[in-house]
Short mmCIF file of all heavy atoms in Angstrom, two decimals:
data_model
loop_
_atom_site.label_atom_id
_atom_site.label_comp_id
_atom_site.label_asym_id
_atom_site.label_seq_id
_atom_site.Cartn_x
_atom_site.Cartn_y
_atom_site.Cartn_z
N MET A 204 0.05 -10.29 -23.92
CA MET A 204 0.32 -8.94 -24.24
C MET A 204 -0.04 -7.95 -23.16
O MET A 204 0.59 -6.90 -23.02
CB MET A 204 -0.38 -8.59 -25.53
CG MET A 204 0.37 -9.02 -26.77
SD MET A 204 2.03 -8.32 -26.67
CE MET A 204 2.39 -8.15 -28.34
N GLN A 205 -1.00 -8.25 -22.43
CA GLN A 205 -1.47 -7.34 -21.31
C GLN A 205 -0.37 -7.03 -20.34
O GLN A 205 -0.19 -5.95 -19.88
CB GLN A 205 -2.66 -7.91 -20.62
CG GLN A 205 -3.29 -6.98 -19.57
CD GLN A 205 -3.95 -5.72 -20.23
OE1 GLN A 205 -4.21 -5.73 -21.43
NE2 GLN A 205 -4.11 -4.72 -19.48
N SER A 206 0.49 -8.02 -20.01
CA SER A 206 1.54 -7.79 -19.03
C SER A 206 2.57 -6.79 -19.53
O SER A 206 3.08 -6.03 -18.76
CB SER A 206 2.22 -9.16 -18.71
OG SER A 206 2.82 -9.69 -19.81
N PHE A 207 2.78 -6.77 -20.83
CA PHE A 207 3.78 -5.77 -21.37
C PHE A 207 3.22 -4.37 -21.24
O PHE A 207 3.88 -3.44 -20.90
CB PHE A 207 4.06 -6.06 -22.86
CG PHE A 207 4.88 -7.30 -23.03
CD1 PHE A 207 4.40 -8.36 -23.74
CD2 PHE A 207 6.20 -7.40 -22.48
CE1 PHE A 207 5.17 -9.51 -23.94
CE2 PHE A 207 6.92 -8.52 -22.64
CZ PHE A 207 6.44 -9.60 -23.37
N LYS A 208 1.92 -4.22 -21.43
CA LYS A 208 1.35 -2.86 -21.27
C LYS A 208 1.48 -2.40 -19.80
O LYS A 208 1.77 -1.26 -19.56
CB LYS A 208 -0.11 -2.90 -21.67
CG LYS A 208 -0.34 -2.97 -23.19
CD LYS A 208 -1.80 -2.94 -23.48
CE LYS A 208 -2.02 -3.10 -25.05
NZ LYS A 208 -3.44 -3.11 -25.34
N ASN A 209 1.25 -3.28 -18.89
CA ASN A 209 1.34 -2.90 -17.43
C ASN A 209 2.74 -2.55 -17.05
O ASN A 209 2.94 -1.68 -16.26
CB ASN A 209 0.81 -4.03 -16.57
CG ASN A 209 -0.74 -4.19 -16.62
OD1 ASN A 209 -1.39 -3.28 -17.04
ND2 ASN A 209 -1.21 -5.34 -16.28
N HIS A 210 3.71 -3.28 -17.65
CA HIS A 210 5.06 -3.05 -17.30
C HIS A 210 5.52 -1.59 -17.81
O HIS A 210 6.17 -0.90 -17.05
CB HIS A 210 5.99 -4.09 -18.02
CG HIS A 210 7.42 -3.85 -17.72
ND1 HIS A 210 7.99 -4.06 -16.47
CD2 HIS A 210 8.42 -3.46 -18.54
CE1 HIS A 210 9.29 -3.77 -16.55
NE2 HIS A 210 9.57 -3.44 -17.77
N SER A 211 5.11 -1.23 -18.98
CA SER A 211 5.46 0.10 -19.44
C SER A 211 4.76 1.17 -18.67
O SER A 211 5.35 2.25 -18.37
CB SER A 211 5.19 0.24 -21.01
OG SER A 211 3.81 0.19 -21.20
N LEU A 212 3.55 0.90 -18.21
CA LEU A 212 2.84 1.89 -17.40
C LEU A 212 3.59 2.06 -16.06
O LEU A 212 3.77 3.18 -15.62
CB LEU A 212 1.44 1.41 -17.12
CG LEU A 212 0.60 2.26 -16.20
CD1 LEU A 212 0.38 3.64 -16.87
CD2 LEU A 212 -0.68 1.65 -15.93
N THR A 213 4.14 0.98 -15.45
CA THR A 213 4.88 1.10 -14.27
C THR A 213 6.15 1.85 -14.46
O THR A 213 6.49 2.67 -13.60
CB THR A 213 5.15 -0.32 -13.68
OG1 THR A 213 3.91 -1.10 -13.57
CG2 THR A 213 5.84 -0.33 -12.40
N GLU A 214 6.82 1.60 -15.53
CA GLU A 214 8.04 2.31 -15.82
C GLU A 214 7.74 3.82 -15.91
O GLU A 214 8.56 4.66 -15.42
CB GLU A 214 8.67 1.83 -17.11
CG GLU A 214 9.45 0.56 -17.01
CD GLU A 214 10.15 0.20 -18.34
OE1 GLU A 214 10.11 0.99 -19.28
OE2 GLU A 214 10.66 -0.86 -18.33
N ASP A 215 6.65 4.21 -16.53
CA ASP A 215 6.32 5.58 -16.71
C ASP A 215 6.03 6.24 -15.34
O ASP A 215 6.43 7.36 -15.13
CB ASP A 215 5.10 5.80 -17.61
CG ASP A 215 5.39 5.42 -19.06
OD1 ASP A 215 6.60 5.41 -19.43
OD2 ASP A 215 4.44 5.18 -19.79
N VAL A 216 5.40 5.53 -14.43
CA VAL A 216 5.09 6.07 -13.13
C VAL A 216 6.39 6.28 -12.34
O VAL A 216 6.55 7.27 -11.71
CB VAL A 216 4.17 5.05 -12.42
CG1 VAL A 216 4.03 5.49 -10.90
CG2 VAL A 216 2.77 5.04 -13.03
N VAL A 217 7.29 5.34 -12.42
CA VAL A 217 8.55 5.46 -11.70
C VAL A 217 9.45 6.61 -12.28
O VAL A 217 10.03 7.36 -11.52
CB VAL A 217 9.32 4.08 -11.70
CG1 VAL A 217 10.71 4.25 -11.11
CG2 VAL A 217 8.55 3.04 -10.95
N LYS A 218 9.46 6.71 -13.61
CA LYS A 218 10.23 7.84 -14.22
C LYS A 218 9.64 9.14 -13.77
O LYS A 218 10.43 10.08 -13.47
CB LYS A 218 10.14 7.70 -15.71
CG LYS A 218 11.14 6.76 -16.35
CD LYS A 218 11.04 6.81 -17.84
CE LYS A 218 11.91 5.75 -18.48
NZ LYS A 218 11.83 5.77 -19.95
N ALA A 219 8.34 9.35 -13.73
CA ALA A 219 7.73 10.56 -13.37
C ALA A 219 8.02 10.88 -11.85
O ALA A 219 8.30 12.01 -11.53
CB ALA A 219 6.25 10.51 -13.52
N ALA A 220 8.02 9.80 -11.03
CA ALA A 220 8.35 9.99 -9.62
C ALA A 220 9.82 10.42 -9.41
O ALA A 220 10.06 11.25 -8.58
CB ALA A 220 8.08 8.68 -8.86
N LYS A 221 10.68 9.86 -10.20
CA LYS A 221 12.13 10.21 -10.12
C LYS A 221 12.31 11.72 -10.49
O LYS A 221 13.04 12.45 -9.77
CB LYS A 221 12.99 9.38 -11.02
CG LYS A 221 13.16 8.02 -10.53
CD LYS A 221 14.06 7.25 -11.51
CE LYS A 221 14.28 5.80 -11.14
NZ LYS A 221 15.17 5.08 -12.11
N LEU A 222 11.66 12.18 -11.48
CA LEU A 222 11.72 13.58 -11.93
C LEU A 222 11.16 14.50 -10.82
O LEU A 222 11.63 15.61 -10.60
CB LEU A 222 11.06 13.80 -13.25
CG LEU A 222 11.72 13.23 -14.45
CD1 LEU A 222 10.84 13.39 -15.68
CD2 LEU A 222 13.08 13.91 -14.66
N LYS A 223 10.10 14.05 -10.19
CA LYS A 223 9.46 14.80 -9.12
C LYS A 223 10.41 14.92 -7.89
O LYS A 223 10.43 15.98 -7.17
CB LYS A 223 8.13 14.15 -8.69
CG LYS A 223 7.41 14.85 -7.60
CD LYS A 223 6.19 14.08 -7.18
CE LYS A 223 6.65 12.99 -6.26
NZ LYS A 223 5.51 12.25 -5.65
N LEU A 224 11.19 13.91 -7.59
CA LEU A 224 12.10 13.88 -6.51
C LEU A 224 13.38 14.70 -6.62
O LEU A 224 13.91 15.15 -5.63
CB LEU A 224 12.43 12.49 -6.09
CG LEU A 224 11.35 11.63 -5.44
CD1 LEU A 224 11.86 10.24 -5.24
CD2 LEU A 224 10.91 12.19 -4.13
N LYS A 225 13.77 14.93 -7.90
CA LYS A 225 15.05 15.68 -8.09
C LYS A 225 15.19 16.98 -7.27
O LYS A 225 16.21 17.18 -6.56
CB LYS A 225 15.30 15.90 -9.56
CG LYS A 225 16.14 14.91 -10.23
CD LYS A 225 16.49 15.28 -11.65
CE LYS A 225 17.49 14.26 -12.19
NZ LYS A 225 17.88 14.58 -13.54
N PRO A 226 14.23 17.87 -7.40
CA PRO A 226 14.37 19.12 -6.62
C PRO A 226 14.13 19.05 -5.19
O PRO A 226 14.30 20.00 -4.41
CB PRO A 226 13.29 20.08 -7.29
CG PRO A 226 12.30 19.14 -7.80
CD PRO A 226 13.07 17.87 -8.22
N LEU A 227 13.78 17.89 -4.61
CA LEU A 227 13.40 17.74 -3.21
C LEU A 227 14.66 17.26 -2.38
O LEU A 227 14.50 17.12 -1.13
CB LEU A 227 12.32 16.72 -3.03
CG LEU A 227 10.96 17.08 -3.63
CD1 LEU A 227 9.93 15.90 -3.33
CD2 LEU A 227 10.49 18.36 -3.13
N LYS A 228 15.79 17.16 -2.98
CA LYS A 228 16.95 16.63 -2.23
C LYS A 228 17.25 17.57 -1.04
O LYS A 228 17.41 18.82 -1.24
CB LYS A 228 18.18 16.54 -3.12
CG LYS A 228 19.30 15.77 -2.53
CD LYS A 228 20.34 15.42 -3.53
CE LYS A 228 21.37 14.53 -2.94
NZ LYS A 228 22.33 14.09 -3.93
N GLY A 229 17.35 17.06 0.11
CA GLY A 229 17.64 17.85 1.37
C GLY A 229 16.36 18.36 2.02
O GLY A 229 16.48 19.08 3.05
N LYS A 230 15.21 18.12 1.44
CA LYS A 230 13.98 18.66 1.99
C LYS A 230 13.16 17.63 2.70
O LYS A 230 13.41 16.40 2.55
CB LYS A 230 13.10 19.30 0.90
CG LYS A 230 13.82 20.48 0.26
CD LYS A 230 12.93 21.19 -0.74
CE LYS A 230 13.64 22.35 -1.34
NZ LYS A 230 12.88 22.98 -2.37
N GLU A 231 12.15 18.05 3.45
CA GLU A 231 11.27 17.13 4.21
C GLU A 231 10.30 16.41 3.28
O GLU A 231 9.67 17.13 2.46
CB GLU A 231 10.50 17.85 5.29
CG GLU A 231 11.36 18.33 6.43
CD GLU A 231 11.78 17.19 7.38
OE1 GLU A 231 10.96 16.33 7.66
OE2 GLU A 231 12.98 17.20 7.69
N VAL A 232 10.24 15.12 3.35
CA VAL A 232 9.25 14.34 2.60
C VAL A 232 8.63 13.34 3.53
O VAL A 232 9.05 13.15 4.73
CB VAL A 232 9.99 13.60 1.46
CG1 VAL A 232 10.62 14.54 0.42
CG2 VAL A 232 11.04 12.64 1.94
N SER A 233 7.57 12.68 3.07
CA SER A 233 6.86 11.64 3.89
C SER A 233 6.48 10.50 3.05
O SER A 233 6.36 10.57 1.82
CB SER A 233 5.63 12.29 4.58
OG SER A 233 4.69 12.63 3.62
N PHE A 234 6.17 9.38 3.72
CA PHE A 234 5.61 8.18 3.08
C PHE A 234 4.90 7.39 4.12
O PHE A 234 5.03 7.66 5.29
CB PHE A 234 6.76 7.36 2.43
CG PHE A 234 7.74 6.81 3.40
CD1 PHE A 234 7.56 5.46 3.87
CD2 PHE A 234 8.79 7.49 3.85
CE1 PHE A 234 8.44 4.93 4.79
CE2 PHE A 234 9.71 6.96 4.80
CZ PHE A 234 9.49 5.70 5.23
N THR A 235 4.03 6.46 3.68
CA THR A 235 3.36 5.62 4.61
C THR A 235 4.09 4.32 4.76
O THR A 235 4.42 3.63 3.79
CB THR A 235 1.91 5.26 4.07
OG1 THR A 235 1.28 6.50 3.81
CG2 THR A 235 1.17 4.42 5.07
N HIS A 236 4.41 4.00 6.01
CA HIS A 236 5.24 2.82 6.32
C HIS A 236 4.41 1.60 5.91
O HIS A 236 3.24 1.44 6.32
CB HIS A 236 5.62 2.74 7.85
CG HIS A 236 6.63 1.71 8.12
ND1 HIS A 236 6.27 0.40 8.40
CD2 HIS A 236 7.98 1.85 8.20
CE1 HIS A 236 7.45 -0.22 8.64
NE2 HIS A 236 8.47 0.59 8.55
N GLN A 237 5.06 0.57 5.25
CA GLN A 237 4.30 -0.53 4.69
C GLN A 237 3.76 -1.44 5.82
O GLN A 237 2.67 -1.92 5.71
CB GLN A 237 5.20 -1.28 3.75
CG GLN A 237 4.50 -2.46 3.06
CD GLN A 237 5.39 -3.18 2.13
OE1 GLN A 237 6.58 -2.83 1.93
NE2 GLN A 237 4.89 -4.18 1.48
N VAL A 238 4.52 -1.68 6.87
CA VAL A 238 4.10 -2.62 7.84
C VAL A 238 3.15 -1.99 8.92
O VAL A 238 2.06 -2.50 9.10
CB VAL A 238 5.36 -3.24 8.57
CG1 VAL A 238 4.90 -4.14 9.70
CG2 VAL A 238 6.24 -3.92 7.60
N SER A 239 3.54 -0.85 9.39
CA SER A 239 2.71 -0.24 10.47
C SER A 239 1.55 0.58 9.96
O SER A 239 0.61 0.87 10.64
CB SER A 239 3.55 0.63 11.41
OG SER A 239 4.13 1.75 10.70
N GLY A 240 1.70 1.15 8.75
CA GLY A 240 0.62 1.98 8.11
C GLY A 240 0.73 3.44 8.66
O GLY A 240 -0.10 4.28 8.35
N GLU A 241 1.76 3.75 9.45
CA GLU A 241 1.95 5.11 9.91
C GLU A 241 2.67 6.03 8.94
O GLU A 241 3.52 5.52 8.15
CB GLU A 241 2.74 5.09 11.23
CG GLU A 241 2.10 4.40 12.38
CD GLU A 241 2.94 4.34 13.59
OE1 GLU A 241 4.04 4.90 13.64
OE2 GLU A 241 2.53 3.69 14.59
N LYS A 242 2.37 7.30 9.05
CA LYS A 242 3.02 8.24 8.18
C LYS A 242 4.42 8.53 8.78
O LYS A 242 4.56 8.87 9.94
CB LYS A 242 2.24 9.57 8.09
CG LYS A 242 2.83 10.59 7.21
CD LYS A 242 1.95 11.84 7.10
CE LYS A 242 2.56 12.89 6.23
NZ LYS A 242 1.70 14.04 6.17
N VAL A 243 5.49 8.35 7.96
CA VAL A 243 6.86 8.59 8.39
C VAL A 243 7.35 9.85 7.67
O VAL A 243 7.23 9.97 6.44
CB VAL A 243 7.78 7.43 8.08
CG1 VAL A 243 9.18 7.61 8.46
CG2 VAL A 243 7.22 6.16 8.73
N THR A 244 7.95 10.77 8.39
CA THR A 244 8.54 11.99 7.82
C THR A 244 10.04 11.97 7.98
O THR A 244 10.52 11.54 9.07
CB THR A 244 7.95 13.22 8.54
OG1 THR A 244 6.52 13.14 8.34
CG2 THR A 244 8.43 14.47 7.86
N GLY A 245 10.77 12.41 7.03
CA GLY A 245 12.25 12.51 7.08
C GLY A 245 12.80 13.37 5.97
O GLY A 245 12.09 14.00 5.22
N THR A 246 14.10 13.44 5.92
CA THR A 246 14.80 14.20 4.90
C THR A 246 15.22 13.33 3.78
O THR A 246 15.88 12.25 3.94
CB THR A 246 16.07 14.82 5.56
OG1 THR A 246 15.69 15.57 6.72
CG2 THR A 246 16.76 15.84 4.61
N TYR A 247 14.89 13.77 2.54
CA TYR A 247 15.23 13.05 1.36
C TYR A 247 16.66 13.33 0.98
O TYR A 247 17.17 14.47 0.88
CB TYR A 247 14.34 13.48 0.19
CG TYR A 247 14.71 12.95 -1.13
CD1 TYR A 247 14.68 11.63 -1.42
CD2 TYR A 247 15.14 13.79 -2.19
CE1 TYR A 247 15.05 11.08 -2.66
CE2 TYR A 247 15.52 13.27 -3.41
CZ TYR A 247 15.44 11.95 -3.64
OH TYR A 247 15.81 11.41 -4.89
N ARG A 248 17.52 12.24 0.82
CA ARG A 248 18.90 12.34 0.61
C ARG A 248 19.31 11.94 -0.84
O ARG A 248 20.51 11.99 -1.14
CB ARG A 248 19.68 11.52 1.63
CG ARG A 248 19.51 11.97 3.05
CD ARG A 248 20.19 13.33 3.24
NE ARG A 248 20.02 13.81 4.61
CZ ARG A 248 20.22 15.02 5.02
NH1 ARG A 248 20.55 15.94 4.12
NH2 ARG A 248 20.06 15.33 6.24
N GLY A 249 18.48 11.52 -1.67
CA GLY A 249 18.74 11.11 -3.00
C GLY A 249 18.33 9.73 -3.35
O GLY A 249 17.80 9.00 -2.53
N LEU A 250 18.48 9.33 -4.56
CA LEU A 250 18.18 8.04 -5.05
C LEU A 250 19.35 7.07 -4.90
O LEU A 250 20.49 7.44 -5.10
CB LEU A 250 17.76 8.02 -6.54
CG LEU A 250 16.45 8.69 -6.87
CD1 LEU A 250 16.24 8.75 -8.35
CD2 LEU A 250 15.30 7.90 -6.23
N LYS A 251 19.05 5.80 -4.46
CA LYS A 251 20.04 4.78 -4.32
C LYS A 251 19.61 3.59 -5.11
O LYS A 251 18.46 3.33 -5.31
CB LYS A 251 20.21 4.33 -2.85
CG LYS A 251 20.47 5.50 -1.86
CD LYS A 251 21.76 6.05 -2.10
CE LYS A 251 22.05 7.16 -1.05
NZ LYS A 251 23.22 7.96 -1.32
N GLN A 252 20.56 2.88 -5.63
CA GLN A 252 20.32 1.67 -6.42
C GLN A 252 20.49 0.40 -5.59
O GLN A 252 21.43 0.29 -4.91
CB GLN A 252 21.31 1.57 -7.58
CG GLN A 252 21.10 2.64 -8.64
CD GLN A 252 19.90 2.34 -9.57
OE1 GLN A 252 18.84 2.18 -9.09
NE2 GLN A 252 20.22 2.27 -10.87
N MET A 253 19.49 -0.46 -5.61
CA MET A 253 19.58 -1.75 -4.92
C MET A 253 18.90 -2.81 -5.76
O MET A 253 17.73 -2.66 -6.12
CB MET A 253 18.85 -1.70 -3.54
CG MET A 253 19.60 -0.94 -2.50
SD MET A 253 18.78 -0.93 -0.90
CE MET A 253 17.70 -2.31 -0.83
N GLY A 254 19.65 -3.79 -6.14
CA GLY A 254 19.07 -4.91 -6.93
C GLY A 254 18.57 -4.51 -8.28
O GLY A 254 17.60 -5.06 -8.78
N GLY A 255 19.12 -3.44 -8.91
CA GLY A 255 18.67 -2.98 -10.16
C GLY A 255 17.54 -2.05 -10.15
O GLY A 255 17.01 -1.59 -11.17
N ASN A 256 16.96 -1.71 -8.97
CA ASN A 256 15.91 -0.76 -8.83
C ASN A 256 16.36 0.48 -8.01
O ASN A 256 17.27 0.40 -7.23
CB ASN A 256 14.73 -1.42 -8.01
CG ASN A 256 14.18 -2.58 -8.81
OD1 ASN A 256 14.00 -2.57 -9.99
ND2 ASN A 256 13.88 -3.67 -8.08
N SER A 257 15.71 1.56 -8.28
CA SER A 257 15.99 2.82 -7.59
C SER A 257 15.07 2.98 -6.39
O SER A 257 13.87 2.66 -6.42
CB SER A 257 15.71 4.01 -8.50
OG SER A 257 16.69 4.04 -9.57
N TYR A 258 15.67 3.48 -5.31
CA TYR A 258 14.91 3.70 -4.07
C TYR A 258 15.27 5.01 -3.49
O TYR A 258 16.42 5.49 -3.67
CB TYR A 258 15.29 2.65 -3.05
CG TYR A 258 14.73 1.28 -3.39
CD1 TYR A 258 15.53 0.38 -4.11
CD2 TYR A 258 13.44 0.91 -3.04
CE1 TYR A 258 15.08 -0.86 -4.42
CE2 TYR A 258 12.99 -0.33 -3.41
CZ TYR A 258 13.81 -1.30 -4.07
OH TYR A 258 13.33 -2.47 -4.44
N ALA A 259 14.33 5.73 -2.96
CA ALA A 259 14.56 7.10 -2.32
C ALA A 259 15.14 6.77 -0.92
O ALA A 259 14.64 6.02 -0.19
CB ALA A 259 13.25 7.82 -2.26
N HIS A 260 16.28 7.43 -0.67
CA HIS A 260 16.91 7.30 0.60
C HIS A 260 16.37 8.41 1.57
O HIS A 260 16.57 9.61 1.28
CB HIS A 260 18.42 7.42 0.49
CG HIS A 260 19.17 7.33 1.80
ND1 HIS A 260 19.59 6.18 2.26
CD2 HIS A 260 19.59 8.30 2.62
CE1 HIS A 260 20.23 6.37 3.43
NE2 HIS A 260 20.23 7.73 3.69
N ILE A 261 15.67 8.06 2.60
CA ILE A 261 15.01 8.99 3.48
C ILE A 261 15.53 8.79 4.91
O ILE A 261 15.49 7.67 5.44
CB ILE A 261 13.49 8.88 3.52
CG1 ILE A 261 13.02 9.13 2.05
CG2 ILE A 261 12.90 9.85 4.44
CD1 ILE A 261 11.54 8.84 1.88
N GLU A 262 16.13 9.85 5.48
CA GLU A 262 16.70 9.70 6.87
C GLU A 262 15.73 10.37 7.84
O GLU A 262 15.26 11.50 7.69
CB GLU A 262 17.99 10.46 6.96
CG GLU A 262 19.14 9.73 6.19
CD GLU A 262 20.43 10.42 6.27
OE1 GLU A 262 20.55 11.50 6.94
OE2 GLU A 262 21.46 9.94 5.80
N THR A 263 15.39 9.61 8.85
CA THR A 263 14.57 10.12 9.96
C THR A 263 15.51 10.32 11.18
O THR A 263 16.69 10.11 11.06
CB THR A 263 13.48 9.10 10.35
OG1 THR A 263 14.07 7.93 10.78
CG2 THR A 263 12.56 8.80 9.22
N GLY A 264 15.00 10.82 12.22
CA GLY A 264 15.88 11.03 13.39
C GLY A 264 16.42 9.74 13.99
O GLY A 264 17.48 9.70 14.51
N LYS A 265 15.68 8.58 13.78
CA LYS A 265 16.08 7.33 14.38
C LYS A 265 16.87 6.47 13.40
O LYS A 265 17.55 5.58 13.87
CB LYS A 265 14.84 6.55 14.80
CG LYS A 265 13.92 7.35 15.83
CD LYS A 265 12.72 6.61 16.10
CE LYS A 265 11.83 7.42 17.07
NZ LYS A 265 10.55 6.76 17.25
N GLY A 266 16.68 6.63 12.15
CA GLY A 266 17.37 5.74 11.15
C GLY A 266 17.09 6.22 9.74
O GLY A 266 16.74 7.36 9.49
N ALA A 267 17.26 5.32 8.82
CA ALA A 267 17.09 5.60 7.37
C ALA A 267 16.13 4.55 6.75
O ALA A 267 16.10 3.40 7.20
CB ALA A 267 18.41 5.68 6.71
N HIS A 268 15.47 4.96 5.77
CA HIS A 268 14.56 4.04 5.01
C HIS A 268 14.88 4.19 3.53
O HIS A 268 15.27 5.22 3.04
CB HIS A 268 13.15 4.45 5.19
CG HIS A 268 12.64 4.37 6.60
ND1 HIS A 268 12.11 3.21 7.15
CD2 HIS A 268 12.62 5.25 7.63
CE1 HIS A 268 11.80 3.41 8.42
NE2 HIS A 268 12.13 4.64 8.74
N ARG A 269 14.69 3.11 2.79
CA ARG A 269 14.79 3.12 1.33
C ARG A 269 13.38 2.79 0.86
O ARG A 269 12.82 1.65 1.13
CB ARG A 269 15.83 2.13 0.84
CG ARG A 269 17.23 2.65 1.21
CD ARG A 269 18.30 2.13 0.28
NE ARG A 269 19.54 2.79 0.54
CZ ARG A 269 20.43 2.45 1.44
NH1 ARG A 269 20.18 1.40 2.20
NH2 ARG A 269 21.56 3.09 1.51
N VAL A 270 12.77 3.69 0.11
CA VAL A 270 11.36 3.62 -0.27
C VAL A 270 11.27 3.75 -1.75
O VAL A 270 12.01 4.54 -2.41
CB VAL A 270 10.57 4.79 0.39
CG1 VAL A 270 9.12 4.67 0.06
CG2 VAL A 270 10.81 4.83 1.88
N PRO A 271 10.39 3.06 -2.41
CA PRO A 271 10.20 3.20 -3.89
C PRO A 271 9.79 4.68 -4.18
O PRO A 271 9.07 5.31 -3.40
CB PRO A 271 8.97 2.26 -4.23
CG PRO A 271 9.02 1.23 -3.17
CD PRO A 271 9.50 1.93 -1.90
N PRO A 272 10.34 5.24 -5.18
CA PRO A 272 10.16 6.67 -5.45
C PRO A 272 8.73 7.13 -5.57
O PRO A 272 8.38 8.23 -5.18
CB PRO A 272 10.89 6.89 -6.80
CG PRO A 272 11.73 5.74 -7.03
CD PRO A 272 11.18 4.66 -6.19
N HIS A 273 7.86 6.23 -6.07
CA HIS A 273 6.46 6.66 -6.29
C HIS A 273 5.69 6.64 -4.96
O HIS A 273 4.49 7.07 -4.96
CB HIS A 273 5.79 5.81 -7.35
CG HIS A 273 5.79 4.37 -7.05
ND1 HIS A 273 6.89 3.55 -7.28
CD2 HIS A 273 4.84 3.55 -6.57
CE1 HIS A 273 6.63 2.35 -6.95
NE2 HIS A 273 5.38 2.27 -6.54
N HIS A 274 6.25 6.23 -3.83
CA HIS A 274 5.59 6.29 -2.54
C HIS A 274 5.94 7.54 -1.78
O HIS A 274 5.35 7.79 -0.66
CB HIS A 274 5.95 5.10 -1.71
CG HIS A 274 5.37 3.82 -2.23
ND1 HIS A 274 5.23 2.70 -1.49
CD2 HIS A 274 4.94 3.46 -3.47
CE1 HIS A 274 4.80 1.70 -2.16
NE2 HIS A 274 4.56 2.13 -3.40
N VAL A 275 6.84 8.39 -2.24
CA VAL A 275 7.30 9.50 -1.50
C VAL A 275 6.48 10.79 -1.88
O VAL A 275 6.20 11.01 -3.08
CB VAL A 275 8.79 9.76 -1.75
CG1 VAL A 275 9.30 11.02 -1.06
CG2 VAL A 275 9.59 8.57 -1.38
N HIS A 276 6.12 11.55 -0.85
CA HIS A 276 5.34 12.75 -1.05
C HIS A 276 6.04 13.91 -0.33
O HIS A 276 6.59 13.72 0.79
CB HIS A 276 3.94 12.64 -0.50
CG HIS A 276 3.22 11.51 -1.11
ND1 HIS A 276 2.75 11.45 -2.39
CD2 HIS A 276 2.96 10.24 -0.58
CE1 HIS A 276 2.13 10.33 -2.68
NE2 HIS A 276 2.29 9.54 -1.58
N GLN A 277 5.97 15.12 -0.90
CA GLN A 277 6.57 16.31 -0.25
C GLN A 277 5.66 16.71 0.91
O GLN A 277 4.45 16.78 0.77
CB GLN A 277 6.70 17.42 -1.26
CG GLN A 277 7.30 18.65 -0.61
CD GLN A 277 7.56 19.74 -1.67
OE1 GLN A 277 7.07 19.65 -2.82
NE2 GLN A 277 8.25 20.77 -1.28
N THR A 278 6.22 17.01 2.10
CA THR A 278 5.49 17.55 3.20
C THR A 278 5.41 19.05 3.12
O THR A 278 6.27 19.67 2.49
CB THR A 278 6.10 17.17 4.57
OG1 THR A 278 7.41 17.65 4.57
CG2 THR A 278 6.08 15.68 4.73
N GLN A 279 4.39 19.63 3.66
CA GLN A 279 4.22 21.06 3.51
C GLN A 279 4.33 21.78 4.76
O GLN A 279 4.15 21.43 5.80
CB GLN A 279 2.88 21.31 2.85
CG GLN A 279 2.72 20.45 1.65
CD GLN A 279 2.11 21.18 0.53
OE1 GLN A 279 1.57 22.31 0.67
NE2 GLN A 279 2.19 20.66 -0.69
#
């Protein structure tokens, strides 16, 4: 039963992150790159679906990244 509780908690976190991202479309956001550990800044272009999951589409000057919504933060 414990795994079901964790699953619903994860769903709640992702839902909250999606709501937080809605007004940020076209604005500067940042996230920590998983491999290098560096902070990456780019423009948030919206949510994209891949494999049944939602990802934030972030364009940097060099390319684009798809990041889980709960990893994205607004830059100030």
Side-chain angles (χ1 to χ4, degrees):
M204 276 304 208
Q205 185 66 20
S206 63
F207 290 118
K208 287 182 182 179
N209 289 340
H210 179 69
S211 65
L212 177 64
T213 304
E214 280 184 7
D215 292 341
V216 170
V217 173
K218 279 184 184 179
K221 286 181 184 180
L222 289 174
K223 179 184 80 172
L224 286 176
K225 264 189 175 180
L227 297 180
K228 194 167 185 177
K230 296 185 180 176
E231 289 287 315
V232 296
S233 64
F234 66 95
T235 303
H236 193 273
Q237 184 178 1
V238 177
S239 66
E241 295 178 4
K242 183 177 179 180
V243 179
T244 303
T246 305
Y247 172 65
R248 298 293 181 193
L250 288 174
K251 305 293 180 189
Q252 292 282 58
M253 283 181 24
N256 296 320
S257 294
Y258 293 92
H260 179 88
I261 301 172
E262 292 182 354
T263 62
K265 299 175 186 175
H268 298 271
R269 291 207 170 85
V270 183
H273 57 282
H274 289 200
V275 178
H276 305 285
Q277 182 177 8
T278 56
Q279 309 223 347

